Amino acid sequence: MPTYRNSSDERLVVSGQTLEPGQTIATNVYYYIDGLAEISDEPFYDPVIASERLTITASHDVDIEIPSGVESFSIDIFVKSGDVDLAINGSSNRLMLTAGMRYSEKCLSRIIDVINVSAVSDAEVIYNILRI
Amino acid sequence: MKLCRDTLRIRILTISIVSINGSIKIPSDSEYETLIWIDMPKYLNKGKSITINGSIKIPSDSEYETLVWLDEDRYPGLRRTSDFPCFNPVAMSGFFDAPKAVIKIPKGLDRFALHLYVESGSPVIYFNTVENRPPLRLYAGAKWNIRVYERVIDVLFVDFESQIGRLWVILERV
């Protein structure tokens, strides 16, 4: 979300909004418009809500919690090595994944709140949670 | 396949029936001919003023650029003067090797799909700046698509977790 200033002497229209000379606008979008000067890069747009590489020793577990306030998202869990099982929202029906397998889900509403990852053997797990 | 053909022959290699425009069904492993080809040739109207698709008027002696391949037999007087610039869905494609890469989204490309495929290694991808956390953490064999309808992504910084790795990137216009 860079911030821009109208450094020209004329009125500009940026993202449907009229910008008087000297006026600033903070937007998600990167613009390349004559007379529009970028004055700040921050805050930055990031499609990733959370990501982590987990190393879990056998018989231990980690909770992947969907951050609060996130309603629609996609989640991807990849087991790089070892064996794990997943419990979605505390369910006793666990999903078993071995090295090279992945679990992914697109959630248009918050149907997943937490995923428990339990290592059957020493495991390395990568997960990403993205905005959709 | 030549670009400047009056008809386009495509071979469908799907394992199931494909539907085009919601109505034309193409069985798997069969050929389909169509007059429509999504490039952007230029036409010159040497005849009388004509109307295309019921709404677009092309006056006599004027040039017209379109995404649609027009049938010159259907529009007397219309002559194709150039096959280019052609429509190309690919804005950029290529691979980037470990340990680091910076991928700048070309200027003017505001709507795009970012297709990522990790051939090897574990790339960590930062959006717009390396300070932007969390990054996207990918793994060998990962295929990833991110669709952007406004230019909210300007540059990608790729940082492989080891000295070996290859990331394929396709930027597609959408």
Side-chain angles (χ1 to χ4, degrees):
Chain A
M1 194 189 281
T3 304
Y4 296 94
R5 175 180 290 126
N6 181 357
S7 59
S8 74
D9 298 329
E10 296 173 346
R11 182 181 289 171
L12 296 175
V13 177
V14 180
S15 192
Q17 187 178 326
T18 302
L19 212 61
E20 300 291 344
Q23 199 176 347
T24 60
I25 183 173
T27 169
N28 274 327
V29 184
Y30 285 82
Y31 289 106
Y32 295 95
I33 298 173
D34 287 343
L36 199 63
E38 188 180 326
I39 56 172
S40 171
D41 280 331
E42 295 181 41
F44 300 105
Y45 172 81
D46 191 351
V48 185
I49 298 166
S51 71
E52 204 171 343
R53 174 184 294 274
L54 304 170
T55 303
I56 314 171
T57 50
S59 305
H60 288 75
D61 65 298
V62 171
D63 279 344
I64 299 174
E65 295 178 7
I66 308 302
S68 61
V70 175
E71 296 300 329
S72 59
F73 56 93
S74 67
I75 183 163
D76 180 272
I77 299 172
F78 175 72
V79 181
K80 193 171 182 189
S81 62
D83 304 291
V84 300
D85 56 31
L86 309 181
I88 298 167
N89 294 330
S91 169
S92 57
N93 296 324
R94 302 190 76 96
L95 177 67
M96 295 175 65
L97 297 178
T98 57
M101 293 176 72
R102 63 186 281 220
Y103 166 78
S104 63
E105 194 73 63
K106 193 172 272 193
C107 303
L108 298 178
S109 57
R110 197 184 168 94
I111 54 171
I112 295 176
D113 188 60
V114 62
I115 297 177
N116 178 263
V117 184
S118 178
V120 178
S121 60
D122 289 354
E124 192 178 355
V125 173
I126 298 168
Y127 78 87
N128 292 285
I129 302 171
L130 271 80
R131 298 172 214 286
I132 56 172
Chain B
M1 183 190 302
K2 284 175 69 178
L3 282 176
C4 49
R5 290 180 56 154
D6 287 329
T7 56
L8 166 71
R9 182 171 291 168
I10 55 175
R11 188 164 175 81
I12 306 296
L13 295 172
T14 56
I15 55 170
S16 59
I17 291 174
V18 168
S19 173
I20 291 181
N21 294 335
S23 59
I24 304 161
K25 298 279 189 291
I26 306 171
S28 60
D29 200 27
S30 64
E31 290 190 343
Y32 170 69
E33 280 193 356
T34 175
L35 287 173
I36 297 174
W37 175 234
I38 45 173
D39 62 3
M40 194 187 279
K42 269 186 194 166
Y43 293 90
L44 180 64
N45 183 12
K46 291 301 288 178
K48 287 188 273 186
S49 177
I50 55 173
T51 302
I52 290 172
N53 292 336
S55 59
I56 303 157
K57 284 196 173 170
I58 308 175
S60 182
D61 284 326
S62 66
E63 265 199 336
Y64 176 59
E65 266 189 6
T66 175
L67 287 175
V68 181
W69 190 275
L70 297 171
D71 182 0
E72 291 164 85
D73 294 336
R74 188 175 164 194
Y75 301 104
L78 203 62
R79 294 287 172 265
R80 189 167 64 246
T81 55
S82 170
D83 290 338
F84 296 94
C86 284
F87 172 76
N88 188 345
V90 180
M92 188 193 88
S93 67
F95 62 82
F96 299 86
D97 285 337
K100 288 177 187 295
V102 178
I103 304 166
K104 178 80 179 161
I105 308 298
K107 274 189 180 180
L109 187 64
D110 295 333
R111 293 162 55 95
F112 57 90
L114 177 65
H115 304 284
L116 305 169
Y117 169 67
V118 183
E119 185 179 320
S120 58
S122 299
V124 178
I125 299 166
Y126 300 87
F127 295 89
N128 297 321
T129 168
V130 290
E131 306 300 323
N132 201 4
R133 310 295 170 94
L136 180 65
R137 296 174 189 276
L138 295 183
Y139 41 85
K143 294 173 187 166
W144 214 271
N145 303 303
I146 297 174
R147 200 165 268 245
V148 172
Y149 291 103
E150 288 184 299
R151 197 185 168 92
V152 290
I153 298 172
D154 191 57
V155 60
L156 303 171
F157 295 90
V158 184
D159 201 349
F160 285 83
E161 290 188 335
S162 63
Q163 292 299 307
I164 298 170
R166 175 169 286 182
L167 172 71
W168 287 85
V169 178
I170 297 171
L171 268 178
E172 179 194 5
R173 294 183 177 91
V174 294

